[in-house]
Structures are given as structure tokens and as C-alpha cells.
mmCIF file of all heavy atoms in Angstrom:
data_model
loop_
_atom_site.group_PDB
_atom_site.id
_atom_site.type_symbol
_atom_site.label_atom_id
_atom_site.label_comp_id
_atom_site.label_asym_id
_atom_site.label_seq_id
_atom_site.Cartn_x
_atom_site.Cartn_y
_atom_site.Cartn_z
ATOM 1 N N VAL F 954 6.359 1.953 -7.856
ATOM 2 C CA VAL F 954 7.280 1.435 -6.833
ATOM 3 C C VAL F 954 6.593 0.392 -5.952
ATOM 4 O O VAL F 954 7.117 0.005 -4.915
ATOM 5 C CB VAL F 954 7.883 2.568 -5.971
ATOM 6 C CG1 VAL F 954 8.831 3.416 -6.812
ATOM 7 C CG2 VAL F 954 6.797 3.428 -5.338
ATOM 8 N N ASP F 955 5.434 -0.043 -6.360
ATOM 9 C CA ASP F 955 4.756 -1.148 -5.697
ATOM 10 C C ASP F 955 5.487 -2.439 -6.025
ATOM 11 O O ASP F 955 5.619 -2.789 -7.199
ATOM 12 C CB ASP F 955 3.303 -1.216 -6.193
ATOM 13 C CG ASP F 955 2.529 -2.417 -5.666
ATOM 14 O OD1 ASP F 955 3.051 -3.152 -4.801
ATOM 15 O OD2 ASP F 955 1.390 -2.613 -6.134
ATOM 16 N N PRO F 956 5.976 -3.172 -5.024
ATOM 17 C CA PRO F 956 6.710 -4.412 -5.340
ATOM 18 C C PRO F 956 5.849 -5.478 -6.029
ATOM 19 O O PRO F 956 6.384 -6.417 -6.603
ATOM 20 C CB PRO F 956 7.196 -4.898 -3.965
ATOM 21 C CG PRO F 956 6.313 -4.221 -2.980
ATOM 22 C CD PRO F 956 5.940 -2.911 -3.583
ATOM 23 N N HIS F 957 4.525 -5.287 -6.000
ATOM 24 C CA HIS F 957 3.621 -6.249 -6.630
ATOM 25 C C HIS F 957 2.917 -5.656 -7.853
ATOM 26 O O HIS F 957 1.869 -6.153 -8.271
ATOM 27 C CB HIS F 957 2.574 -6.724 -5.618
ATOM 28 C CG HIS F 957 3.171 -7.281 -4.360
ATOM 29 N ND1 HIS F 957 3.884 -8.447 -4.331
ATOM 30 C CD2 HIS F 957 3.167 -6.805 -3.092
ATOM 31 C CE1 HIS F 957 4.291 -8.691 -3.097
ATOM 32 N NE2 HIS F 957 3.880 -7.704 -2.324
ATOM 33 N N TYR F 958 3.499 -4.620 -8.427
ATOM 34 C CA TYR F 958 2.864 -3.932 -9.568
ATOM 35 C C TYR F 958 2.521 -4.906 -10.696
ATOM 36 O O TYR F 958 3.337 -5.737 -11.102
ATOM 37 C CB TYR F 958 3.808 -2.858 -10.108
ATOM 38 C CG TYR F 958 3.289 -2.192 -11.376
ATOM 39 C CD1 TYR F 958 2.393 -1.142 -11.309
ATOM 40 C CD2 TYR F 958 3.698 -2.650 -12.638
ATOM 41 C CE1 TYR F 958 1.916 -0.542 -12.469
ATOM 42 C CE2 TYR F 958 3.226 -2.051 -13.793
ATOM 43 C CZ TYR F 958 2.327 -0.997 -13.697
ATOM 44 O OH TYR F 958 1.841 -0.414 -14.841
ATOM 45 N N ASN F 959 1.282 -4.806 -11.186
ATOM 46 C CA ASN F 959 0.877 -5.597 -12.365
ATOM 47 C C ASN F 959 0.048 -4.791 -13.355
ATOM 48 O O ASN F 959 -0.522 -5.346 -14.294
ATOM 49 C CB ASN F 959 0.119 -6.852 -11.938
ATOM 50 C CG ASN F 959 -1.171 -6.542 -11.188
ATOM 51 O OD1 ASN F 959 -1.629 -5.382 -11.153
ATOM 52 N ND2 ASN F 959 -1.775 -7.557 -10.565
ATOM 53 N N GLY F 960 -0.053 -3.478 -13.124
ATOM 54 C CA GLY F 960 -0.755 -2.619 -14.068
ATOM 55 C C GLY F 960 -2.244 -2.499 -13.853
ATOM 56 O O GLY F 960 -2.918 -1.783 -14.604
ATOM 57 N N THR F 961 -2.789 -3.164 -12.830
ATOM 58 C CA THR F 961 -4.231 -3.121 -12.600
ATOM 59 C C THR F 961 -4.588 -2.105 -11.513
ATOM 60 O O THR F 961 -3.794 -1.820 -10.614
ATOM 61 C CB THR F 961 -4.759 -4.504 -12.169
ATOM 62 O OG1 THR F 961 -4.235 -4.837 -10.872
ATOM 63 C CG2 THR F 961 -4.364 -5.563 -13.172
ATOM 64 N N THR F 962 -5.806 -1.597 -11.596
ATOM 65 C CA THR F 962 -6.280 -0.696 -10.545
ATOM 66 C C THR F 962 -6.509 -1.450 -9.240
ATOM 67 O O THR F 962 -6.391 -0.870 -8.153
ATOM 68 C CB THR F 962 -7.579 0.014 -10.975
ATOM 69 O OG1 THR F 962 -8.572 -0.965 -11.305
ATOM 70 C CG2 THR F 962 -7.332 0.929 -12.164
ATOM 71 N N LYS F 963 -6.809 -2.732 -9.319
ATOM 72 C CA LYS F 963 -6.998 -3.528 -8.100
ATOM 73 C C LYS F 963 -5.713 -3.588 -7.279
ATOM 74 O O LYS F 963 -5.725 -3.367 -6.061
ATOM 75 C CB LYS F 963 -7.465 -4.935 -8.461
ATOM 76 C CG LYS F 963 -7.697 -5.818 -7.239
ATOM 77 C CD LYS F 963 -8.191 -7.208 -7.642
ATOM 78 C CE LYS F 963 -8.403 -8.090 -6.411
ATOM 79 N NZ LYS F 963 -8.890 -9.445 -6.797
ATOM 80 N N GLU F 964 -4.611 -3.878 -7.931
ATOM 81 C CA GLU F 964 -3.342 -3.931 -7.215
ATOM 82 C C GLU F 964 -2.921 -2.548 -6.752
ATOM 83 O O GLU F 964 -2.382 -2.382 -5.652
ATOM 84 C CB GLU F 964 -2.255 -4.536 -8.107
ATOM 85 C CG GLU F 964 -0.847 -4.492 -7.511
ATOM 86 C CD GLU F 964 -0.749 -5.119 -6.132
ATOM 87 O OE1 GLU F 964 -1.458 -6.106 -5.840
ATOM 88 O OE2 GLU F 964 0.048 -4.613 -5.315
ATOM 89 N N ALA F 965 -3.170 -1.523 -7.568
ATOM 90 C CA ALA F 965 -2.833 -0.154 -7.173
ATOM 91 C C ALA F 965 -3.627 0.256 -5.927
ATOM 92 O O ALA F 965 -3.091 0.917 -5.028
ATOM 93 C CB ALA F 965 -3.113 0.812 -8.323
ATOM 94 N N THR F 966 -4.883 -0.127 -5.867
ATOM 95 C CA THR F 966 -5.689 0.151 -4.676
ATOM 96 C C THR F 966 -5.093 -0.521 -3.450
ATOM 97 O O THR F 966 -4.991 0.083 -2.367
ATOM 98 C CB THR F 966 -7.133 -0.332 -4.884
ATOM 99 O OG1 THR F 966 -7.713 0.368 -5.989
ATOM 100 C CG2 THR F 966 -7.972 -0.110 -3.633
ATOM 101 N N ALA F 967 -4.676 -1.789 -3.608
ATOM 102 C CA ALA F 967 -4.070 -2.520 -2.496
ATOM 103 C C ALA F 967 -2.780 -1.845 -2.020
ATOM 104 O O ALA F 967 -2.490 -1.817 -0.814
ATOM 105 C CB ALA F 967 -3.797 -3.963 -2.912
ATOM 106 N N TRP F 968 -2.006 -1.283 -2.943
ATOM 107 C CA TRP F 968 -0.771 -0.568 -2.598
ATOM 108 C C TRP F 968 -1.107 0.703 -1.815
ATOM 109 O O TRP F 968 -0.415 1.046 -0.848
ATOM 110 C CB TRP F 968 0.006 -0.259 -3.868
ATOM 111 C CG TRP F 968 1.266 0.536 -3.742
ATOM 112 C CD1 TRP F 968 1.599 1.632 -4.486
ATOM 113 C CD2 TRP F 968 2.381 0.295 -2.878
ATOM 114 N NE1 TRP F 968 2.826 2.101 -4.130
ATOM 115 C CE2 TRP F 968 3.347 1.289 -3.147
ATOM 116 C CE3 TRP F 968 2.651 -0.654 -1.894
ATOM 117 C CZ2 TRP F 968 4.559 1.372 -2.477
ATOM 118 C CZ3 TRP F 968 3.870 -0.593 -1.219
ATOM 119 C CH2 TRP F 968 4.810 0.414 -1.516
ATOM 120 N N GLY F 969 -2.172 1.393 -2.196
ATOM 121 C CA GLY F 969 -2.609 2.547 -1.422
ATOM 122 C C GLY F 969 -3.050 2.153 -0.025
ATOM 123 O O GLY F 969 -2.726 2.831 0.961
ATOM 124 N N VAL F 970 -3.775 1.055 0.079
ATOM 125 C CA VAL F 970 -4.214 0.559 1.390
ATOM 126 C C VAL F 970 -3.014 0.197 2.262
ATOM 127 O O VAL F 970 -2.978 0.526 3.463
ATOM 128 C CB VAL F 970 -5.143 -0.662 1.213
ATOM 129 C CG1 VAL F 970 -5.379 -1.368 2.544
ATOM 130 C CG2 VAL F 970 -6.479 -0.223 0.608
ATOM 131 N N GLN F 971 -2.026 -0.476 1.680
ATOM 132 C CA GLN F 971 -0.837 -0.841 2.452
ATOM 133 C C GLN F 971 -0.164 0.384 3.054
ATOM 134 O O GLN F 971 0.222 0.400 4.225
ATOM 135 C CB GLN F 971 0.153 -1.584 1.555
ATOM 136 C CG GLN F 971 1.508 -1.884 2.205
ATOM 137 C CD GLN F 971 1.402 -2.846 3.354
ATOM 138 O OE1 GLN F 971 1.415 -4.051 3.170
ATOM 139 N NE2 GLN F 971 1.288 -2.326 4.574
ATOM 140 N N GLN F 972 -0.047 1.450 2.264
ATOM 141 C CA GLN F 972 0.588 2.670 2.762
ATOM 142 C C GLN F 972 -0.255 3.354 3.827
ATOM 143 O O GLN F 972 0.279 3.942 4.777
ATOM 144 C CB GLN F 972 0.873 3.611 1.594
ATOM 145 C CG GLN F 972 1.918 3.049 0.633
ATOM 146 C CD GLN F 972 2.266 4.001 -0.484
ATOM 147 O OE1 GLN F 972 3.018 4.958 -0.289
ATOM 148 N NE2 GLN F 972 1.701 3.764 -1.659
ATOM 149 N N ALA F 973 -1.568 3.265 3.705
ATOM 150 C CA ALA F 973 -2.448 3.814 4.736
ATOM 151 C C ALA F 973 -2.281 3.046 6.048
ATOM 152 O O ALA F 973 -2.286 3.644 7.138
ATOM 153 C CB ALA F 973 -3.898 3.769 4.268
ATOM 154 N N GLU F 974 -2.150 1.729 5.965
ATOM 155 C CA GLU F 974 -1.929 0.924 7.167
ATOM 156 C C GLU F 974 -0.615 1.318 7.843
ATOM 157 O O GLU F 974 -0.545 1.454 9.078
ATOM 158 C CB GLU F 974 -1.914 -0.555 6.811
ATOM 159 C CG GLU F 974 -3.279 -1.098 6.378
ATOM 160 C CD GLU F 974 -3.207 -2.525 5.890
ATOM 161 O OE1 GLU F 974 -2.087 -2.988 5.537
ATOM 162 O OE2 GLU F 974 -4.256 -3.195 5.871
ATOM 163 N N TRP F 975 0.427 1.491 7.047
ATOM 164 C CA TRP F 975 1.706 1.929 7.602
ATOM 165 C C TRP F 975 1.568 3.288 8.280
ATOM 166 O O TRP F 975 2.152 3.537 9.339
ATOM 167 C CB TRP F 975 2.751 2.029 6.499
ATOM 168 C CG TRP F 975 3.269 0.711 5.997
ATOM 169 C CD1 TRP F 975 3.306 -0.481 6.667
ATOM 170 C CD2 TRP F 975 3.831 0.465 4.711
ATOM 171 N NE1 TRP F 975 3.864 -1.453 5.887
ATOM 172 C CE2 TRP F 975 4.198 -0.915 4.673
ATOM 173 C CE3 TRP F 975 4.077 1.236 3.590
ATOM 174 C CZ2 TRP F 975 4.786 -1.504 3.559
ATOM 175 C CZ3 TRP F 975 4.662 0.650 2.477
ATOM 176 C CH2 TRP F 975 5.011 -0.698 2.458
ATOM 177 N N THR F 976 0.799 4.175 7.667
ATOM 178 C CA THR F 976 0.618 5.515 8.229
ATOM 179 C C THR F 976 -0.020 5.451 9.609
ATOM 180 O O THR F 976 0.476 6.069 10.567
ATOM 181 C CB THR F 976 -0.254 6.370 7.301
ATOM 182 O OG1 THR F 976 0.351 6.453 6.006
ATOM 183 C CG2 THR F 976 -0.425 7.784 7.861
ATOM 184 N N LEU F 977 -1.125 4.760 9.733
ATOM 185 C CA LEU F 977 -1.825 4.700 11.015
ATOM 186 C C LEU F 977 -0.966 4.027 12.082
ATOM 187 O O LEU F 977 -1.012 4.417 13.259
ATOM 188 C CB LEU F 977 -3.156 3.983 10.856
ATOM 189 C CG LEU F 977 -4.203 4.708 10.004
ATOM 190 C CD1 LEU F 977 -5.482 3.877 9.925
ATOM 191 C CD2 LEU F 977 -4.504 6.102 10.556
ATOM 192 N N SER F 978 -0.173 3.043 11.693
ATOM 193 C CA SER F 978 0.724 2.396 12.638
ATOM 194 C C SER F 978 1.765 3.385 13.149
ATOM 195 O O SER F 978 2.028 3.476 14.353
ATOM 196 C CB SER F 978 1.408 1.190 11.992
ATOM 197 O OG SER F 978 2.323 0.591 12.881
ATOM 198 N N ALA F 979 2.378 4.133 12.238
ATOM 199 C CA ALA F 979 3.376 5.126 12.640
ATOM 200 C C ALA F 979 2.764 6.211 13.513
ATOM 201 O O ALA F 979 3.364 6.639 14.502
ATOM 202 C CB ALA F 979 4.016 5.740 11.394
ATOM 203 N N MET F 980 1.560 6.642 13.180
ATOM 204 C CA MET F 980 0.910 7.718 13.933
ATOM 205 C C MET F 980 0.538 7.304 15.341
ATOM 206 O O MET F 980 0.393 8.158 16.226
ATOM 207 C CB MET F 980 -0.333 8.184 13.178
ATOM 208 C CG MET F 980 -0.028 8.984 11.930
ATOM 209 S SD MET F 980 -1.532 9.398 11.019
ATOM 210 C CE MET F 980 -2.377 10.426 12.218
ATOM 211 N N SER F 981 0.396 6.023 15.595
ATOM 212 C CA SER F 981 0.032 5.575 16.935
ATOM 213 C C SER F 981 1.131 5.888 17.951
ATOM 214 O O SER F 981 0.881 5.870 19.155
ATOM 215 C CB SER F 981 -0.249 4.076 16.920
ATOM 216 O OG SER F 981 0.938 3.323 16.702
ATOM 217 N N LYS F 982 2.317 6.227 17.472
ATOM 218 C CA LYS F 982 3.447 6.543 18.352
ATOM 219 C C LYS F 982 3.697 8.039 18.439
ATOM 220 O O LYS F 982 4.668 8.466 19.074
ATOM 221 C CB LYS F 982 4.700 5.836 17.839
ATOM 222 C CG LYS F 982 4.521 4.321 17.739
ATOM 223 C CD LYS F 982 5.650 3.700 16.956
ATOM 224 C CE LYS F 982 5.436 2.189 16.812
ATOM 225 N NZ LYS F 982 4.227 1.856 16.006
#
């Protein structure tokens, strides 16, 4: 469900990082 999926572990890692960033932003509230 990564909008930038290309089958690589590099992009998958970036998708995990994006979700972690969203998490910390939400938790700040």
C-alpha cells in the first residue's frame, strides 16, 4: 500500500520511515 512501491527494500524502508514520522507527529499531541 506504499504509493511509491517498486519492489525494492530501499523503497520499503522509506515507507517504514514515513510511517514512523507520522507516528511521532501524532504522538506529540
Side-chain angles (χ1 to χ4, degrees):
V954 291
D955 174 7
H957 305 292
Y958 174 84
N959 62 11
T961 67
T962 57
K963 181 179 179 180
E964 173 55 34
T966 299
W968 177 229
V970 168
Q971 173 66 85
Q972 294 183 78
E974 291 174 340
W975 286 335
T976 302
L977 293 180
S978 177
M980 288 176 63
S981 69
K982 303 167 182 65

